[in-house]
Amino acid sequence: MKDNFIKGFLYKEIYRNEINGYMVGLFKIKDNNIDYDDDMIHITGILPRLSEKKEYILYGEIVYHNKYGKQFNVNSFEVNIPTKEEELIVFLSSDLFPIGEKTAKKIVDTFHEDTINKILENKDCLQLIPRLGENKINRIYNVLVDYQSTSNIVMELTKLGFDMKDSLSFLNKYNNKILDTVNNNIYELIDSDEMSFVKIDEIALGMGINEDDERRIKALIIYIMKELCFNNGDTFLFLEEISNMLSNYVSISNEKFDYLMMKLVKNKKIIIEDKRYYLRKFYEAEKYICERLCFLNDMSINSNVSIDKYINNKEKDDKIKYDEIQKKAIYSGVNNNITIITGGPGTGKTTIVKAIVNILIHEKKLKKDDIALLAPTGRASKKLMETTGISASTIHKYLGWDKDTNTFATDEYSPNGQKYIIVDEVSMIDTLLMEALFKGIRRDAKLILVGDYYQLPSVSEGQILKDIIDSDCLPVIRLNQIYRQSEDSYILNLAYDIKNKNISEDLFIKKDDYLFISSDNDNAGSYIKEVVKKAIKKGYTDREVQILAPMYKSLNGIDNLNIMLQELFNPSSKNKKEIKIRNVTFRERDKVLQLVNDPDNNVYNGDIGYIEDIIISKDKKIINQININYDGNIVEYTPDKFINFRHGYAISIHKAQGSEFDMVIMPVVNSFKRMLYNKLVYTGVTRAKKSLVIVGDSNAFIYGINNDYVDNRKTTLKDFIINFYNE
């Protein structure tokens, strides 16, 4: 059974997203089977550009938007070609065609209700009509072909298994050649990154393509390489890894595998160097980053601003004392073309960045607009802004990232113009994002990279900060002295003990700001619950307390902890509306975590917000909507965007990077053992500003401290930099 429909014409297109095809328009209704009396209605949906001269049948449903009222949400459509003789005469005599009503009537009188099909089957049939020349015959035929083509192509794609969004996306990209591409080699569509290999492969196999088809295996190899690189953080692979993984999907001979690998190399999909197999994008990205880093390092220094006056005044006014390493870092940041500053918590990284910015503005007389302060996350950029007093942004926002195309507005041909680029939390930046950053800044911009060498590397491919520092070819300032610490504080000492793998009884002895609670896996949740209850009694809120864990799906994983913590921090109430999403209850005032970058709404992966309002449909006439407040920025979520957030009472340690919380609680139990490693534990501990509670097993804690798993990433940026200076 088809959906409800409306038939008529597009009156006006109001809005269109040129990337994904989403549009809002005003539609004039001729006929419908819905409960709607007006002759005009707003339509929404993913649609091609509709002609105001063509008649359409739109299938979908009436929805109610709290701001715009009744709308028709379109699921599918077709161009309506009339079949009744009276309608055909009107249709053919419209201004779409080069003929009048009399000629139109002659055509319909000749071919009757089968007029359109007859013309499309053989346009020469129109030669039977007196005084209808070849030119007009061709124009009539071409209009009818064009009239049908869009809807026919979309219908054919949807029959194969493509959804409407993907069908229109590919139609926009490949035009009328999309069906030829699908039939010749559907796996070519993977190059566009519009659809996953898994989805395309499912359609391809449904079309009858054999599992050992050469086209499929080549696409499968690329897919496997992408998955392996992402899962392990690698930028290259060894041949055996690829071959072993491929054998899980299809059985082919070694000879055929080698042959197909060479074909991919020949087609420049894969690059081989020193028995390392790269996806082209990672090889080129690491090479480009290396070139830009070394270019800046070798570029002559044109400025030599003294920092002595600033340092003396600052030390006198604030009664502080900069050590020689900190002075060196400030001087290098102000004057050198590239500076890398690394150090753990409390070593003065923030103080140095603030000093550099102040000197650039007050001593070097730069405008604030000449300085770009950047960070990988929204919270880290906000911290930069609070520290320096000037505007800061995420790297994605600065580069003009478009989430629909996964492209950046800036590149090497149209870079941003800032003279100084200061980037914090560099350990979180992956290879492709660093490449995009270098392409988005002017070649002679002075670059200051700041980060903690010992924190977790990026979630995605690469270990940029580690490779740069380990190359030992670029100017690196290492901050080792801890300053941000009172005499009775233990958290920072603990962090450095973890970093240095100093195992002692102090790890388990209660301090004023640190507590280790011994617990097995079954009881950890209960202990965490009691700790949180006590914190709430002391006046702590969910804004100040953050639970960090390494896993989602376990007894003490993030999912279960969030359920428990929601009832502690935000229990159900008659005054708070609730909604169930994927079997998880969300209610007003809930703490939530954004999971994807959304530059259009200025909210980014890792941002924490609070549900301000839930609008619930009771009779399906209203679209469910959730409004989330991110520090004053209210973002509206419709059902298609509900997957973009989750509860934020407990989050992963990866998501917590770039943030600090007054109180951190970390479960470290035996069931987490395979996920525990030194940098993860270190990163979690360093998120705590005032209070840290670890709940778990002492052996699991020690295991995590001693485990160097994350250092095994395969990358070559370090080697590229070294080779650059050795050649």
Side-chain angles (χ1 to χ4, degrees), residues 470-722:
D470 287 351
S471 73
D472 204 27
C473 296
L474 302 171
V476 177
I477 313 291
R478 293 174 171 85
L479 306 174
N480 299 312
Q481 184 66 43
I482 303 174
Y483 293 95
R484 197 192 70 205
Q485 180 178 341
S486 62
E487 292 182 0
D488 58 351
S489 174
Y490 177 70
I491 294 173
L492 292 182
N493 278 334
L494 174 64
Y496 283 92
D497 282 342
I498 291 170
K499 183 183 78 172
N500 298 318
K501 300 178 186 176
N502 294 331
I503 309 298
S504 70
E505 291 184 0
D506 275 353
L507 294 175
F508 312 105
I509 296 175
K510 184 179 183 301
K511 305 290 192 301
D512 289 342
D513 59 350
Y514 170 70
L515 176 64
F516 182 92
I517 300 175
S518 183
S519 170
D520 59 22
N521 192 62
D522 293 338
N523 296 316
S526 299
Y527 283 118
I528 291 172
K529 187 174 183 178
E530 290 305 311
V531 171
V532 172
K533 282 182 176 179
K534 289 180 181 179
I536 293 172
K537 285 183 179 180
K538 290 181 179 179
Y540 282 90
T541 69
D542 56 2
R543 293 179 181 272
E544 298 154 326
V545 179
Q546 189 61 61
I547 286 75
L548 305 179
M551 293 177 65
Y552 287 90
K553 304 296 183 182
S554 71
L555 178 63
N556 298 297
I558 293 167
D559 292 342
N560 281 338
L561 288 173
N562 270 318
I563 295 171
M564 177 188 74
L565 294 164
Q566 181 190 39
E567 294 307 313
L568 293 175
F569 284 113
N570 190 32
S572 60
S573 164
K574 293 181 180 179
N575 300 322
K576 291 180 283 192
K577 293 190 284 291
E578 298 182 352
I579 187 172
K580 187 163 281 190
I581 304 171
R582 302 179 303 279
N583 295 319
V584 177
T585 298
F586 290 85
R587 62 178 62 109
E588 291 172 338
R589 302 180 197 171
D590 264 344
K591 182 180 183 179
V592 293
L593 177 76
Q594 176 74 5
L595 301 174
V596 298
N597 291 323
D598 184 2
D600 293 340
N601 288 304
N602 195 30
V603 60
Y604 293 87
N605 184 1
D607 285 352
I608 290 176
Y610 291 83
I611 295 178
E612 189 161 285
D613 191 27
I614 296 177
I615 303 167
I616 303 174
S617 170
K618 293 182 179 179
D619 54 7
K620 295 186 178 179
K621 291 184 178 180
I622 298 176
I623 301 175
N624 291 336
Q625 182 174 310
I626 298 176
N627 299 332
I628 301 177
N629 189 334
Y630 297 93
D631 293 327
N633 174 30
I634 307 235
V635 180
E636 297 179 355
Y637 293 79
T638 48
D640 60 315
K641 299 292 178 61
F642 288 172
I643 60 172
N644 291 351
F645 63 85
R646 63 180 300 132
H647 280 126
Y649 302 103
I651 64 176
S652 72
I653 296 171
H654 279 92
K655 293 288 188 184
Q657 285 197 95
S659 300
E660 291 181 324
F661 310 93
D662 283 354
M663 183 178 189
V664 168
I665 304 170
M666 287 176 56
V668 183
V669 292
N670 274 318
S671 61
F672 291 168
K673 213 167 181 179
R674 65 184 180 88
M675 297 291 293
L676 295 173
Y677 51 92
N678 185 272
K679 286 190 175 181
L680 185 96
V681 177
Y682 171 83
T683 301
V685 166
T686 56
R687 299 310 90 202
K689 289 196 295 184
K690 297 179 180 179
S691 179
L692 171 68
V693 180
I694 294 178
V695 179
D697 184 271
S698 58
N699 290 324
F701 191 26
I702 292 170
Y703 173 85
I705 293 171
N706 287 323
N707 183 14
D708 284 326
Y709 163 76
V710 79
D711 292 333
N712 296 327
R713 290 191 173 194
K714 299 191 295 294
T715 61
T716 42
L717 177 59
K718 169 188 169 182
D719 295 335
F720 287 163
I721 296 171
I722 292 172

Side-chain angles (χ1 to χ4, degrees), residues 361-487:
I361 294 173
H362 300 295
E363 304 295 329
K364 204 169 180 180
K365 306 301 180 184
L366 264 66
K367 298 178 181 177
K368 292 181 179 180
D369 291 344
D370 289 328
I371 307 167
L373 297 182
L374 307 174
T377 69
R379 282 174 293 164
S381 66
K382 184 181 178 182
K383 182 180 172 184
L384 263 180
M385 185 167 61
E386 292 170 349
T387 298
T388 61
I390 67 172
S391 178
S393 99
T394 64
I395 298 171
H396 283 85
K397 184 178 181 180
Y398 176 73
L399 298 177
W401 181 66
D402 188 308
K403 63 181 178 181
D404 296 312
T405 60
N406 193 28
T407 58
F408 296 95
T410 59
D411 56 27
E412 60 263 60
Y413 306 108
S414 56
N416 289 314
Q418 284 74 20
K419 298 176 181 178
Y420 279 80
I421 313 295
I422 303 176
V423 190
D424 200 10
E425 300 289 351
V426 177
S427 66
M428 299 174 63
I429 302 176
D430 62 64
T431 299
L432 296 182
L433 184 57
M434 181 59 81
E435 179 193 34
L437 176 60
F438 268 119
K439 287 182 176 180
I441 62 176
R442 49 194 278 181
R443 287 188 67 84
D444 63 344
K446 295 182 183 293
L447 183 65
I448 302 159
L449 303 177
V450 184
D452 187 346
Y453 177 91
Y454 293 97
Q455 276 195 37
L456 293 170
S458 62
V459 174
S460 297
E461 301 85 357
Q463 45 186 8
I464 296 296
L465 183 64
K466 183 177 186 301
D467 277 352
I468 291 173
I469 293 173
D470 287 351
S471 73
D472 204 27
C473 296
L474 302 171
V476 177
I477 313 291
R478 293 174 171 85
L479 306 174
N480 299 312
Q481 184 66 43
I482 303 174
Y483 293 95
R484 197 192 70 205
Q485 180 178 341
S486 62
E487 292 182 0

Side-chain angles (χ1 to χ4, degrees), residues 2 104 122 133-134 139 156 187 254 267 274 303 321 332 340 356 451 458 468 478 491 519 548 622 627 647 702:
K2 285 202 170 186
N122 183 10
E134 185 177 351
R139 287 172 65 186
E156 287 297 317
Y187 292 102
N254 292 334
N267 294 333
D274 296 330
S303 63
K321 187 72 175 176
S332 178
I340 299 98
I356 291 171
S458 62
I468 291 173
R478 293 174 171 85
I491 294 173
S519 170
L548 305 179
I622 298 176
N627 299 332
H647 280 126
I702 292 170

